[in-house]
Amino acid sequence: MTLSSALFSHYRRHPLQLLALALMILVATMLWSSVSQLTSQARDSLGQSQQVMAAYRQLIRSDSQPVTVADFVHLRRAGICVMPWLEVTPSTGTGRVIGVDPLAAACFGGSGQGPVVGTLDGKPFVDISQAAALAAEDSPGELSLLVPDGPVSRPLPPGYREASFETAPDSGELGRSFLLNLDALSLLVLLITALLVRSVYLLGQAQRAESFALLRRFGVRPLRVQILRVLELVALAMLCILPGILLGRLLAGILGNSFARAMDSLFDLPLYAGQGGNGWSPALVIMAVVALACLTDLLPKPSAVLPRGALRRLHWLAPGVLVAGLVLAPVAPSLSAAFLAVALVFVGTGLLTPRVLSTLARWQAERQKNALARWRYSELGVFARRLALPLVALQFALAMVLAVQALVAVFEVTFDQWLSRRLAAEYFVEVPPGADSRPAVHWLQGNEELVAGDDWYLLARARGRLPATETAGEGATDLLVLEPLVSMITGWDLLAQAPEAWPRLRRGKGLMVNEQLARRRGLTVGDQLFVDIAGVTLTLPVLAVYPDYGRPAAEVLVSRNSVPAGFQPSFESFAISPAPGAIDTIVTGLQQVWGQGLPQMRDNRRVRELADAVFRQTFLLTRTLALVTLILAAAALLMMGWVFLSGRVWYYRLLVVWGLSRHQALGQLARLALMLTTGVALLALPLGIWLTWVLVSCINPLAFGWSLPMAVYPGVWLQLGALSVLVGAGIAVLMAHQLRHPAVVPASASELDGGAR
């Protein structure tokens, strides 16, 4: 028998351990590579958007109508250097493609803007004819006419004006924060997986201790054994990483469409095709994690290097680390600082959990008068010491799932309530482009038998500008103009408000801002805000801050009495809740008022269904990460508990020798396993509640720009408690199987280390 075959024969006797190690490395690689690919694509797309917007400006029509191919032809014939830019989102979910005309872009060469377009390699630029074909197949594309950033070559023809190329609000920082949020979550998944891999690996090394000792007696140098162990681990990782990366790319493809919709809806950030090739970075990351998780076993133990008193003092660092994280979280100024606080709390909790469990078990054992109860608690203390890593990993996984599930649930409830207020009217009837909304207002006011005066209002949207500040700079803002302020509007929930906020807004004595704008500029109720509307600068006090979930844009809400005479909205619609069966009559009447075709009408129930569908996709990736990690942790603890208890079968058989029946002995083991798993679940509960609070109150505002109310859901606690009971019951069932087979009794107690006695 060769040295390698003798060394690796352990896995022939314990194939389950080899399978567990391989599956954990594979799943960790899959999750990490899928998240890495999606976030890398989003970051590259964000950089692409900012690069394009910085390099170009666009020409728009003075009558606010969308530009067409005819406008492009007219401008080129007038001698203007202009290039068509057609963005199309294919239904395949592979990301947006951009159609450009290389011949039209030739005139950009002198200004240095040509390299921005680059070669038409489909990443993401294609010929405009291909983009037009995609637009015809899927959905209408968004056409823009771009000119180089700088003075145009000659005066523009009448009817056109120059504007900044802003396809979306400035949400780059929020988009990066959200991607950092995902990266942090995947890093937490990687940490939990590393703990699980290390626990399984160290268990195998403990079982192989006698084999290593035997090899040393036969003259094999310890260094050679260690080199073979390193090669064994590297070979295992390499065999699992490649299929893990392939599965990760497959998972990214499955989740890509939902992820793209979430990024587009939350941050107005399109995902461009061909962006985000992350290469072999996930493989390198996983290899480093596996090496750090397992090969640190080759380093000297702290007890062998540090004096006993110094090691005891190091143990007291855990409470300090925990307190530091708890103090830092509420005052974290950035997302990185918030994640640092979470990391400190997790490190401190991970170091304290085994000690807390062991101390509680010893304390309970000393208080028990029943011998079996004392035995159970003493044995629980042994478990807490010997299964520390898988127990901590399960605790982290339970806390993460509890927090993510609570975050998703509170978002769904809050978003549903907010959307029900925003879509209180049954229908939206759009004002046709170029039509005047004032005759329609008068017509509705004179037809109260069709729609009551409190059951409709006019909504107008436009763009305004805010003054520059040191933190936010100068930027555009959305304007929301409402009239009349009926009960459907005044019933909105406000985060903060001044006395008589709605009546003062109705009289034009102030404005309201959404939470996103208030956070970015540090606005509070009573502050004066300067906003430029249609070339007129208004100075009005902030009357209230209102929630505006699901979008990154800053928004200012004013009444019609506040806007200047030259105000021209870019979009208008009537929100209407008509009398039963009167909607067709209303639409027909408005058609006659405007003298155009039938106006566009949207059923708000359909709008709400679409909004709910989009935001259900938002946390799909986080839910997937959390649930897969929980399954991994539960399976690892199940296997670890079974293997560890199997090594003590000889000891548990003594229960029968002491006078218990087989069923009574199995009952004691079942109670012991359930005490272990439910104890971990109870310790995970406060960590999960704290993590929920950090997500909704600290991380969510930094990542999205809006906060959520804190809420707990005992139903989720019960589900996780049931899972912990299921894992404990599984360990008990496996132990019942082990007790039916003979067990090897150690020759002496000296063969057991102190933690297993």
Side-chain angles (χ1 to χ4, degrees):
M1 178 182 290
T2 63
L3 174 60
S4 59
S5 61
L7 187 65
F8 304 145
S9 62
H10 169 78
Y11 292 118
R12 289 200 300 269
R13 299 191 303 273
H14 302 283
L16 186 61
Q17 290 184 25
L18 181 62
L19 179 63
L21 281 172
L23 284 178
M24 289 176 188
I25 296 174
L26 187 144
V27 171
T29 308
M30 178 185 69
L31 294 177
W32 179 267
S33 61
S34 62
V35 174
S36 177
Q37 181 172 342
L38 290 174
T39 56
S40 176
Q41 182 185 6
R43 284 192 175 92
D44 288 351
S45 296
L46 180 61
Q48 182 76 50
S49 298
Q50 293 178 339
Q51 181 186 25
V52 167
M53 291 179 188
Y56 298 109
R57 293 178 65 80
Q58 64 175 331
L59 298 182
I60 61 176
R61 293 170 57 119
S62 300
D63 59 3
S64 301
Q65 296 296 313
V67 294
T68 63
V69 176
D71 295 303
F72 166 66
V73 174
H74 177 64
L75 290 168
R76 285 308 298 258
R77 287 177 175 175
I80 305 299
C81 179
V82 61
M83 179 184 69
W85 179 281
L86 180 61
E87 288 195 23
V88 182
T89 305
S91 58
T92 56
T94 54
R96 287 191 187 182
V97 296
I98 301 172
V100 296
D101 185 354
L103 295 178
C107 64
F108 284 64
S111 61
Q113 307 300 330
V116 175
V117 175
T119 59
L120 300 182
D121 57 1
K123 298 181 179 180
F125 299 103
V126 298
D127 190 90
I128 195 168
S129 61
Q130 299 179 30
L134 286 174
E137 295 173 1
D138 294 300
S139 60
E142 300 176 17
L143 179 64
S144 302
L145 299 179
L146 306 186
V147 294
D149 186 24
V152 294
S153 55
R154 60 183 62 194
L156 295 176
Y160 297 93
R161 61 186 177 90
E162 202 173 344
S164 60
F165 185 38
E166 295 180 354
T167 59
D170 184 13
S171 56
E173 291 302 320
L174 292 179
R176 291 190 186 92
S177 297
F178 175 66
L179 298 177
L180 182 59
N181 206 11
L182 276 182
D183 285 339
L185 181 60
S186 62
L187 186 62
L188 179 58
V189 172
L190 200 61
L191 169 64
I192 295 173
T193 307
L195 292 176
L196 297 175
V197 170
R198 177 173 172 80
S199 62
V200 175
Y201 181 77
L202 293 184
L203 175 65
Q205 300 313 301
Q207 292 176 322
R208 300 164 77 179
E210 294 183 0
S211 300
F212 296 154
L214 187 61
L215 290 174
R216 286 196 295 271
R217 293 191 188 102
F218 284 132
V220 180
R221 291 181 299 175
L223 179 61
R224 189 177 179 187
V225 174
Q226 292 180 357
I227 292 175
L228 288 175
R229 287 171 58 187
V230 172
L231 294 177
E232 164 197 315
L233 196 60
V234 170
L236 177 62
M238 292 181 66
L239 289 175
C240 299
I241 283 175
L242 181 59
I245 290 179
L246 297 178
L247 289 174
R249 291 181 177 176
L250 178 62
L251 179 62
I254 294 173
L255 299 175
N257 197 12
S258 301
F259 183 73
R261 290 181 181 177
M263 293 299 297
D264 205 359
S265 60
L266 283 174
F267 308 108
D268 291 307
L269 170 62
L271 261 63
Y272 293 122
Q275 303 293 306
N278 54 2
W280 290 94
S281 58
L284 299 177
V285 171
I286 298 296
M287 287 290 293
V289 168
V290 170
L292 291 174
C294 301
L295 297 183
T296 50
D297 180 52
L298 302 178
L299 300 176
K301 300 294 186 294
S303 57
V305 178
L306 298 174
R308 187 176 184 84
L311 187 61
R312 188 181 297 112
R313 286 192 294 271
L314 285 178
H315 287 165
W316 284 104
L317 287 178
V321 171
L322 177 61
V323 172
L326 294 175
V327 172
L328 176 61
V331 297
S334 64
L335 202 59
S336 300
F339 288 142
L340 175 61
V342 172
L344 291 175
V345 170
F346 269 71
V347 169
T349 303
L351 294 173
L352 285 175
T353 293
R355 292 164 55 187
V356 169
L357 268 178
S358 178
T359 302
L360 289 176
R362 183 169 61 251
W363 175 65
Q364 283 292 332
E366 294 172 352
R367 296 179 65 239
Q368 300 299 321
K369 297 181 179 179
N370 182 277
L372 286 176
R374 274 200 309 274
W375 174 84
R376 282 197 308 272
Y377 282 108
S378 298
E379 192 69 6
L380 180 63
V382 174
F383 283 8
R385 294 190 296 272
R386 297 303 303 273
L387 297 177
L389 288 178
L391 288 176
V392 169
L394 180 61
Q395 180 192 20
F396 287 178
L398 288 172
M400 184 177 68
V401 170
L402 188 151
V404 170
Q405 292 291 88
L407 173 66
V408 173
V410 73
F411 178 80
E412 288 177 345
V413 171
T414 305
F415 181 71
D416 184 72
Q417 294 173 350
W418 171 79
L419 204 59
S420 64
R421 297 292 181 91
R422 286 297 184 99
L423 301 179
E426 297 180 14
Y427 299 95
F428 279 152
V429 180
E430 295 183 11
V431 178
D436 188 0
S437 61
R438 306 315 302 172
V441 170
H442 299 320
W443 186 87
L444 288 171
Q445 289 173 343
N447 286 273
E448 293 199 358
E449 71 280 1
L450 298 177
V451 55
D454 202 44
D455 290 337
W456 69 271
Y457 62 90
L458 176 63
L459 179 152
R461 287 195 176 275
R463 298 284 281 173
R465 296 203 67 83
L466 299 175
T469 63
E470 294 182 0
T471 56
E474 183 179 5
T477 182
D478 286 348
L479 287 176
L480 181 61
V481 184
L482 301 175
E483 71 160 326
L485 295 180
V486 296
S487 59
M488 285 189 291
I489 300 173
T490 57
W492 288 4
D493 295 325
L494 301 176
L495 300 177
Q497 61 180 310
E500 301 294 322
W502 290 111
R504 293 171 63 185
L505 181 69
R506 182 181 292 110
R507 296 193 300 268
K509 300 301 183 182
L511 51 80
M512 297 183 181
V513 298
N514 67 349
E515 182 183 4
Q516 289 85 323
L517 178 58
R519 287 185 177 275
R520 291 179 200 175
R521 296 193 169 240
L523 297 174
T524 59
V525 172
D527 291 347
Q528 297 289 323
L529 182 63
F530 301 88
V531 56
D532 185 284
I533 303 176
V536 178
T537 301
L538 303 180
T539 305
L540 295 171
V542 176
L543 300 177
V545 178
Y546 58 91
D548 193 15
Y549 301 112
R551 58 194 302 269
E555 185 177 84
V556 174
L557 169 62
V558 295
S559 72
R560 192 78 183 193
N561 295 326
S562 299
V563 297
F567 172 72
Q568 291 294 330
S570 59
F571 171 83
E572 289 182 292
S573 68
F574 286 95
I576 300 175
S577 292
I583 185 61
D584 293 336
T585 306
I586 292 175
V587 172
T588 303
L590 293 177
Q591 178 189 7
Q592 295 173 355
V593 169
W594 288 318
Q596 300 188 21
L598 283 175
Q600 294 288 330
M601 183 182 68
R602 292 181 294 166
D603 188 338
N604 280 345
R605 288 174 298 183
R606 178 60 179 161
V607 175
R608 184 167 180 173
E609 290 175 0
L610 292 174
D612 288 338
V614 168
F615 289 106
R616 274 196 298 268
Q617 305 296 327
T618 303
F619 295 104
L620 177 62
L621 188 57
T622 55
R623 271 179 163 168
T624 302
L625 288 171
L627 292 177
V628 171
T629 306
L630 179 60
I631 293 172
L632 264 182
L637 182 61
L638 182 66
M639 188 200 70
M640 288 288 295
W642 176 39
V643 174
F644 176 67
L645 294 175
S646 299
R648 298 171 65 82
V649 169
W650 64 271
Y651 178 60
Y652 298 138
R653 289 183 183 277
L654 295 179
L655 294 174
V656 180
V657 175
W658 291 335
L660 299 181
S661 66
R662 181 180 296 273
H663 291 295
Q664 289 174 327
L666 288 176
Q668 293 296 321
L669 293 178
R671 294 176 66 179
L672 179 60
L674 291 174
M675 287 170 57
L676 177 68
T677 55
T678 54
V680 174
L682 289 175
L683 289 177
L685 189 58
L687 180 62
I689 294 174
W690 178 85
L691 186 58
T692 303
W693 174 81
V694 169
L695 287 176
V696 301
S697 301
C698 302
I699 293 178
N700 211 69
L702 293 170
F704 294 99
W706 33 266
S707 60
L708 290 170
M710 174 64 185
V712 294
Y713 294 90
V716 180
W717 304 353
L718 295 177
Q719 293 174 9
L720 297 182
L723 177 64
S724 65
V725 170
L726 185 63
V727 173
I731 295 176
V733 170
L734 293 175
M735 278 304 303
H737 175 74
Q738 287 288 336
L739 286 177
R740 298 190 186 99
H741 300 282
V744 179
V745 181
S748 66
S750 63
E751 295 186 10
L752 301 175
D753 59 34
R757 292 176 189 168

